[in-house]
Amino acid sequence: MMEVKRFVFNPLQENTYVVWDASGDCVVVDAGNLSAREDRALSDFISGQGLNPVLALNTHGHFDHIAGTSYVCDTYGAKLALSSKDAFLLEAAPQTARMYGIQMGEVPSTIGIDLAATDEITFGETVLKIIPTPGHTPGHVSLFEPLSGTLFTGDTLFRESIGRTDLPGGDYSWIMRSILEKIVPLGDGVRVLPGHGDETTIGHEVLYNPFIVEVLNDEVNYR
């Protein structure tokens, strides 16, 4: 059975998730740990649970989601898993962070597993389906675990909101296609763990997310 622990890291209040199962293997989804204190919090939990991180697994390449990937990869020998379509964001991450007044270290120079070239990620007894959900970034993916009905949406879908589309590579039409054509069909009961803010469900978003509701009510043509 898959288990999940959430941490809220860095000044942008980004959600980092440790995901593991009975095998003891785990992945760190969107490692945003930026400070020594946040590094310790992450490592203390991992060691306390006796876990073995095998991947720094990323929904997309924005700096607040990859700030801790080098720490995870260097400390545990884990590989970076990221869509190659977001490689330009990975390369530019330290410079982008400085634009927000944030200093961050180096990021991995290579992508170990290209999420643009695979349909799923397997670790321990867990299989995460890779769902391309471009719009916030060109290479954005969501991660779906069917047995528990859990979806990691990164910055595509938030509780009662959606990710920004005014950043380089962003596109409103594409993010709405991703949400309405790939995420919503997964079913109302699916648990949504976003890249910022509190968790939600697809059913809640269909009823209360204004960006989705205005499309369903034919008030906006997202195409």
Side-chain angles (χ1 to χ4, degrees):
M1 178 179 176
M2 187 184 78
E3 298 189 65
V4 180
K5 168 68 175 178
R6 179 180 75 147
F7 294 88
V8 180
F9 285 149
N10 72 55
L12 274 66
Q13 298 290 282
E14 179 268 350
N15 290 333
T16 294
Y17 299 98
V18 179
V19 185
W20 75 99
D21 60 31
S23 72
D25 284 348
C26 74
V27 299
V28 182
V29 176
D30 289 352
N33 44 302
L34 186 61
S35 66
R37 179 185 61 81
E38 292 175 344
D39 293 344
R40 285 195 301 272
L42 181 63
S43 286
D44 286 351
F45 178 81
I46 289 170
S47 61
Q49 296 291 321
L51 301 178
N52 173 41
V54 295
L55 286 179
L57 177 58
N58 275 79
T59 60
H60 65 293
H62 281 154
F63 77 89
D64 53 319
H65 291 256
I66 65 170
T69 52
S70 282
Y71 178 80
V72 173
C73 293
D74 293 345
T75 303
Y76 300 103
K79 292 182 178 180
L80 173 64
L82 175 73
S83 170
S84 58
K85 295 178 181 180
D86 275 8
F88 73 104
L89 295 171
L90 176 69
E91 181 179 353
Q95 180 181 357
T96 305
R98 287 194 293 272
M99 294 171 60
Y100 286 81
I102 296 171
Q103 296 296 321
M104 62 176 284
E106 295 301 312
V107 295
S109 58
T110 57
I111 296 172
I113 298 177
D114 182 3
L115 298 183
T118 185
D119 294 329
E120 63 184 31
I121 289 290
T122 301
F123 65 96
E125 303 166 358
T126 301
V127 178
L128 295 176
K129 303 293 184 181
I130 308 301
I131 304 175
T133 49
H136 182 62
T137 70
H140 198 296
V141 301
S142 295
L143 312 167
F144 183 50
E145 203 283 303
L147 295 180
S148 63
T150 301
L151 182 70
F152 300 89
T153 56
D155 285 4
T156 293
L157 180 65
F158 302 132
R159 182 177 177 87
E160 299 180 14
S161 190
I162 64 172
R164 292 177 62 175
T165 58
D166 60 338
L167 300 171
D171 186 284
Y172 167 79
S173 177
W174 276 109
I175 201 170
M176 294 310 299
R177 288 172 188 237
S178 294
I179 292 168
L180 292 161
E181 299 174 12
K182 296 182 180 180
I183 291 178
V184 168
L186 294 175
D188 288 352
V190 167
R191 178 190 185 193
V192 173
L193 300 180
H196 301 269
D198 294 333
E199 69 175 77
T200 183
T201 65
I202 290 177
H204 180 91
E205 298 314 301
V206 168
L207 289 175
Y208 300 112
N209 189 308
F211 295 91
I212 297 175
V213 170
E214 66 183 2
V215 171
L216 297 180
N217 288 345
D218 295 322
E219 297 168 4
V220 171
N221 180 4
Y222 68 93
R223 293 178 182 274

